[in-house]
Amino acid sequence: VQLQASGGGLVQAGGSLRLSCAASGRTLSSYVMGWFRQVPGKEREFVAAITRHGGSTYYVDFVKGRFTISRDNAKNTVYLQMNSLKPEDTAVYYCAADAGVRLLQQTGSDYWGQGTQVTVSS
């Protein structure tokens, strides 16, 4: 599966962005989908995941209540709505597709998109 992330940009603290990840090559419902983020000098870290048909979602503690992951399998797209953004949310955000359990275990994924930069100014 190929993943194309978009929607990043520059926003002021307290603002919102919605990231999108369009998948091609295979049916999206075959995969658990998620988002990771990475800042220079640090490891990529888990942000959110959603099960194949959207029945369950998972978030890292520091985004709970602010970020919402969703998916539209008919459109082969997964979203990350980010509200109340903080400067510490600044990172490159990567969408991920996983056919196994690593994404639900928050440890990795089979496939990655190219990343989209999110910058939050104070």
Side-chain angles (χ1 to χ4, degrees):
V1 65
Q2 292 78 46
L3 304 174
Q4 180 72 41
S6 61
L10 173 64
V11 65
Q12 289 188 333
S16 299
L17 283 174
R18 188 176 81 155
L19 305 184
S20 299
C21 177
S24 60
R26 283 199 65 180
T27 303
L28 194 69
S29 59
S30 298
Y31 302 97
V32 174
M33 299 297 295
W35 294 90
F36 282 66
R37 70 188 189 186
Q38 189 171 23
V39 299
K42 293 190 176 182
E43 292 188 355
R44 194 170 296 186
E45 62 182 0
F46 172 82
V47 175
I50 186 167
T51 51
R52 288 172 175 79
H53 297 283
S56 296
T57 56
Y58 305 87
Y59 300 93
V60 69
D61 285 347
F62 52 75
V63 306
K64 285 180 180 177
R66 301 189 297 123
F67 291 11
T68 302
I69 188 171
S70 61
R71 64 192 296 161
D72 185 338
N73 286 344
K75 295 182 178 179
N76 265 11
T77 303
V78 64
Y79 305 97
L80 185 68
Q81 178 67 43
M82 305 186 294
N83 298 328
S84 302
L85 283 162
K86 304 176 181 180
E88 50 264 43
D89 294 318
T90 295
V92 177
Y93 283 71
Y94 296 89
C95 72
D98 189 56
V101 299
R102 286 189 296 165
L103 189 46
L104 292 177
Q105 293 174 340
Q106 305 177 15
T107 59
S109 186
D110 292 333
Y111 302 98
W112 299 94
Q114 86 287 3
T116 185
Q117 176 71 46
V118 171
T119 303
V120 184
S121 63
S122 58

